Structure formats: structure tokens, C-alpha cells
Amino acid sequence: MCKFEIDILGVYEAPNTHPVISKKGSDAWWYMSVEDLLPEKYRDKASDYQKGYDTMDVWFDSGSSWAAVLEKRDGLNYPADLYLEGTDQHRGWFQSSLLTSIGTRGKAPYASVITHGFVLDEKGLKMSKSLGNVVDPNIVIEGGKNPKESPAYGADVLRLWVSSVDYSGDVLIGPQVLRQMSDIYRKLRGTLRYLVANLHDWKPDNAVPYCDLPKIDQHALFQLENVVISIRECYENYQFYKIFQIIQRFAIVDLSNFYFDVAKDRLYVGGTASFTRRSCQTVLAAHLLSIVRIIAPILPHLAEDVWQHLPFEHAIEDGSLAKFVFEAGWPDPDERWLALPVEDIDLWEKVLELRTEVNKVLETARGGKLIGSSLDAKVYLHTTDADLASRLHGICVASNDADALHRIFITSQVEILALLENELIDSIAYKGEHLIQGKSRVWIGVSRAEGSKCERCWNYSTKVGSFPEHPTLCCRCYNVVNIQSAPDMAAVC
């Protein structure tokens, strides 16, 4: 019998009763007799076996690690969930592990295998000391002798880079790539700081029930829940670069460009305990708790830093407080957030696209010196799509200020025109027609806002000057200053 066959008998078949290799190491082969190498039940037939001295596959030791590691150590399971190595291991570790496990256990030692490419410099060249293009992870994390040339990025930036690349092929790294990763990291940190800062006076008891939230807030939670689901699927499929892309687009771009931008008015201008501010904080708290937990596997230091500075305590399922981010677990799914009616989803997609087109006309008006801030403007909308016109009109007269269309456009007024009269068209210098979702044609016009500018919120209103005690305030700001509840119909001011 060859050396491999004796190893199988002595090491794999009875590892607990005859652990030769685990006790004496692989050198035992050279000085122990055949009889001593064999399991006890085979020793009476030692004369039928002989030791072989041919060189074995050099990957045999690592290829048998599943037996020494997975089966021998508490807390580990055989087969492994995943074997991870470079593409050079297709005929190395992966192959030898598969052969030894199939030969002795009848199944593969792993449930899944992931292979990755090699790390190259920014020009796509192999790293070598002679070229001086080697990127040392320790220097990336801790910095080099020259802080300007080799700044200390920290482990999270390096981990963020790892998550950003498609490891199925060769990947590039270098100073420029790391600077880009550092910029993205800082922007993400800025998003989290915004969330933490605007929740400084919020507690879970302040949360507004989902059914009472404004439509804009329900839509924001709908988007958040879909992001959490998508990212979980990517983690389960080891598609980390997709997680990076989703987080970058959602947490850095989409939130900042729309929801955060619109939310500033009710966060900073409304009363501290007003309904619209509390509803906004309810949504911000949900985003903070979700984002910090979904980024934790990739950016543990940032996630833990945020968790330790939460302005409120978060309880987990058993009622205890999560002292650390990894104790909090994955965000619990909320079916209500996903149950947003299809017609509402469609409307908000149109509103977001319409907002982009309105911003283009506002920018043109700004360039023509008609307005400075977008709050200087009044927007006119007209569409022959009766359903869209009706729903836009419904937003204009929303029962709460948060859903008001002029708040979404960050203008002082919005008017939906039933008819497009030539006299009005001629009087508006900045206008244009735009297709929304490729089918609904919407005419957009911009003029100066009506009324006077409120010195507190900078919105224009015909109500400014109506309050003798505060003649420079609009009705919303007047109510806030006088410590009264801001009226839900503030949109009419």
C-alpha cells in the first residue's frame, strides 16, 4: 500500500484512536515502522503494507486541513461554508482539499468556493520591490514616514477599497485609488454625522406611528427597506462591490440630494416638537439605525464610533440595550414599509423626476438673475395628463406641510394650472416642456414668488406683515415664535 493509503487509514479513518500526525507530526513517517503507523486493527497485517518514499503532492498537507481544523476544533463545522483563495488555487488547495475529502468522506469540504484575482498597481502592473510599486497595508493604515505622500487612512478605508472592487478579476490599488476611497469614506461619515446631529433631542418615545407619517416619509422608509433587502442579498452572495455601489448611491448621493435637502426646512424652521419635525426625525432615526448596521461588516470602526455616539438608546429583541453595534444584529424587516401602494410609488417616482426638471428651469432663472435662492421663486406646472395633474394638485394642498409640493421643490409657492393661457405664457421668461417617465408632458414655468420674504425662514408669503407683534414673519414662523403648534395647513401661507 502506498504512503497516501496509510495516511488515509492512520489519520482520517481513526483520528481519535490513532492520531499519529497530530501527536508526532508528519516526520513520523520517516522514523516509525509500518506496524506503528497502521491503526491497531490493521497491525496484524503489517507485512502486507510497505511505506512509499515518492514525493507526494505538495498541497496534501493544506488540502487535508479540513480534517485538522474543521473536525477537530469546537465551534467550527464540516463542511466549511466557504473556501476563499486566489485563482492560482484551482489546481492547488481547492483541488487537493476536494480530493482528500471526497476520498475519505464522500463529500466536498466546502459548501462554496470563491476565487479572486491578484492585486496590481494603478497602471495594472504586478507589484514588485524593484519597480517600487508595492502597496503595504500597514502603511495604508498607519501612514508612512512622509504623511503627505503616505497619509494614515486607517483600516476602514482599506476595507472600503476591498469592498469596492470586483474581485472576480485582477484589482488595482495605489495612491489615487486610496484618495478616492478616503473621499467617499468622509462623505459617508458626513451623512452619518448629519443623522446623529439632527437626532440630538429625539427619543424612541417621540416616534410618529407609521400610519400617521406624511407620504414623503413613508416613501423614504420604502426606499430604505428596499436598500436593506438588496444589501443583505449581496452579502449572502459575497457581492461586496454591489454593496459599495448601493451604499454610495443611497447614503451619499440620494439621501443628500433629496430627502436631507428637503428635510432641512422642517428640521431647522419648524417648532422643536412640531409634528413635521418629529415625523422627519422618526425617519432619520430609522435610517441611522439601519445604515450603521448594514455597513458594520465592512466599516466596523466607523459603525462602532457612530453607535457609541447615538443620541438615544436602542433595545434589541429581548428588551436589553445593544451596547455595541454588532450586538444590535441585522435590521428587522418591516413589511409595512414595503406595502406602500403602487400608485404612491409611481407618483413619487414622477415627483422626483419632475423635481429634477424644475431645478433645471430654476437654474436657468438664476442664471438670468431673476432669482437668487430657489425660495425666491414660484413654480407653475401644467400637464394634459389628468391623473398626474390631479395628484400634483393634491400634493399642493397636502394636509401636512411636509408633503406640500413647494417644500419638495424648495420654492416659496407652486401653482398647478388647469389651462395654459397665452397671457401667462408670455409673462413668464423662464419656462419649458419636459417629458416625465417618457410619457407625461409637463410645462414648467418660473416667476418671482408672491408676497414678502419672511426674515426667519426666507420663504415668501402674502401673510408677511399680517402680525403686528412680528411684522416680518410668515404665519408658520409666527406660530413657532409664539410657542404655538404650527398649523398643518402651513402650505397656504
Side-chain angles (χ1 to χ4, degrees):
M1 180 175 283
C2 71
K3 173 180 181 291
F4 176 76
E5 291 172 310
I6 294 182
D7 273 348
I8 294 297
L9 293 173
V11 179
Y12 299 122
E13 184 173 320
N16 296 322
T17 59
H18 192 66
V20 173
I21 301 299
S22 61
K23 285 186 176 181
K24 301 183 178 182
S26 57
D27 283 348
W29 179 263
W30 303 101
Y31 63 80
M32 291 182 65
S33 65
V34 172
E35 183 177 358
D36 291 335
L37 286 168
L38 287 170
E40 187 175 350
K41 64 180 180 179
Y42 292 101
R43 287 178 182 173
D44 59 343
K45 298 181 180 180
S47 60
D48 294 338
Y49 298 90
Q50 63 178 2
K51 290 197 289 184
Y53 293 95
D54 293 336
T55 301
M56 289 189 60
D57 184 344
V58 295
W59 287 102
F60 181 82
D61 284 351
S62 61
S64 60
S65 59
W66 56 265
V69 177
L70 298 179
E71 290 188 338
K72 292 291 188 71
R73 298 185 183 180
D74 294 336
L76 298 179
N77 297 317
Y78 169 86
D81 293 328
L82 178 72
Y83 267 38
L84 170 67
E85 257 294 354
T87 54
D88 59 328
Q89 296 307 312
H90 290 165
R91 293 183 295 175
W93 186 43
F94 296 145
Q95 175 79 342
S96 60
S97 299
L98 183 65
L99 292 174
T100 54
S101 184
I102 290 290
T104 60
R105 298 293 186 269
K107 60 182 179 180
Y110 37 71
S112 301
V113 168
I114 286 182
T115 60
H116 57 76
F118 293 92
V119 180
L120 308 176
D121 72 5
E122 289 178 323
K123 297 179 180 179
L125 300 176
K126 181 179 179 181
M127 293 187 188
S128 68
K129 292 182 180 179
S130 61
L131 292 176
N133 63 347
V134 176
V135 176
D136 186 339
N138 285 330
I139 293 178
V140 173
I141 296 171
E142 300 174 4
K145 295 180 179 179
N146 186 336
K148 290 185 178 181
E149 293 182 359
S150 303
Y153 288 111
D156 271 2
V157 170
L158 185 59
R159 293 172 67 93
L160 186 64
W161 166 77
V162 173
S163 75
S164 72
V165 296
D166 182 358
Y167 58 76
S168 61
D170 293 341
V171 298
L172 310 181
I173 190 173
Q176 183 61 33
V177 172
L178 290 169
R179 280 193 292 270
Q180 292 173 352
M181 285 299 112
S182 180
D183 288 342
I184 294 171
Y185 173 85
R186 282 198 297 269
K187 290 177 181 177
L188 178 57
R189 188 179 182 88
T191 295
L192 294 169
R193 288 183 65 182
Y194 177 92
L195 290 168
V196 171
N198 283 288
L199 292 167
H200 68 94
D201 61 342
W202 188 86
K203 303 298 178 188
D205 291 342
N206 301 141
V208 175
Y210 176 80
C211 59
D212 295 333
L213 290 174
K215 293 295 184 181
I216 186 175
D217 293 338
Q218 291 185 354
H219 183 259
L221 292 178
F222 168 78
Q223 290 182 311
L224 173 63
E225 187 66 9
N226 278 285
V227 165
V228 172
I229 291 172
S230 297
I231 288 181
R232 179 164 190 160
E233 291 176 353
C234 292
Y235 272 123
E236 291 173 347
N237 292 301
Y238 309 107
Q239 295 176 319
F240 306 113
Y241 70 97
K242 290 186 178 180
I243 297 173
F244 170 83
Q245 292 170 353
I246 294 172
I247 290 175
Q248 184 182 18
R249 182 176 65 250
F250 176 72
I252 298 177
V253 179
D254 292 348
L255 278 179
S256 297
N257 287 352
F258 175 58
Y259 192 81
F260 288 176
D261 200 24
V262 172
K264 291 174 183 176
D265 180 82
R266 50 179 166 149
L267 286 172
Y268 305 154
V269 178
T272 55
S274 66
F275 167 77
T276 54
R277 185 168 186 269
R278 288 300 191 214
S279 66
C280 183
Q281 288 182 310
T282 300
V283 173
L284 295 184
H287 278 74
L288 178 59
L289 290 173
S290 291
I291 292 174
V292 74
R293 286 183 284 178
I294 63 180
I295 68 169
I298 294 174
L299 301 170
H301 301 291
L302 175 58
E304 188 59 41
D305 186 23
V306 173
W307 197 263
Q308 295 307 315
H309 289 86
L310 286 180
F312 54 88
E313 295 179 327
H314 177 68
I316 53 182
E317 289 184 1
D318 62 3
S320 62
L321 298 178
K323 294 182 180 180
F324 307 103
V325 66
F326 284 104
E327 288 183 353
W330 191 259
D332 295 325
D334 195 319
E335 295 299 327
R336 296 173 303 167
W337 298 359
L338 290 175
L340 193 68
V342 174
E343 56 270 21
D344 286 351
I345 298 172
D346 178 66
L347 174 62
W348 281 100
E349 288 178 352
K350 290 179 178 179
V351 168
L352 289 173
E353 187 175 344
L354 181 59
R355 184 176 186 266
T356 299
E357 299 303 330
V358 167
N359 284 339
K360 292 178 182 178
V361 181
L362 289 172
E363 188 59 36
T364 302
R366 186 177 293 110
K369 307 300 182 182
L370 175 69
I371 61 172
S373 164
S374 61
L375 291 174
D376 298 341
K378 177 178 180 179
V379 171
Y380 298 89
L381 300 174
H382 171 74
T383 177
T384 56
D385 185 329
D387 179 65
L388 178 59
S390 174
R391 304 197 74 180
L392 290 176
H393 180 74
I395 298 178
C396 278
V397 294
S399 60
N400 64 78
D401 196 43
D403 285 336
L405 198 55
H406 71 284
R407 300 291 185 214
I408 295 168
F409 292 161
I410 315 182
T411 58
S412 287
Q413 293 117 23
V414 173
E415 183 178 345
I416 308 299
L417 302 173
L419 298 173
L420 203 56
E421 299 176 351
N422 291 332
E423 184 178 350
L424 176 64
I425 295 176
D426 294 339
S427 67
I428 294 178
Y430 300 97
K431 52 188 177 287
E433 284 193 344
H434 304 272
L435 278 178
I436 305 301
Q437 292 189 346
K439 55 183 180 181
S440 300
R441 188 172 295 278
V442 179
W443 181 89
I444 302 171
V446 171
S447 70
R448 288 285 301 184
E450 299 170 355
S452 301
K453 183 177 182 179
C454 172
E455 70 173 6
R456 182 173 180 273
C457 70
W458 294 9
N459 280 258
Y460 282 76
S461 171
T462 56
K463 299 294 183 179
V464 173
S466 301
F467 312 102
E469 308 96 309
H470 300 286
T472 59
L473 299 184
C474 66
C475 63
R476 178 180 61 158
C477 291
Y478 173 77
N479 282 303
V480 173
V481 169
N482 281 275
I483 320 176
Q484 297 177 11
S485 298
D488 285 339
M489 292 298 291
V492 302
C493 294

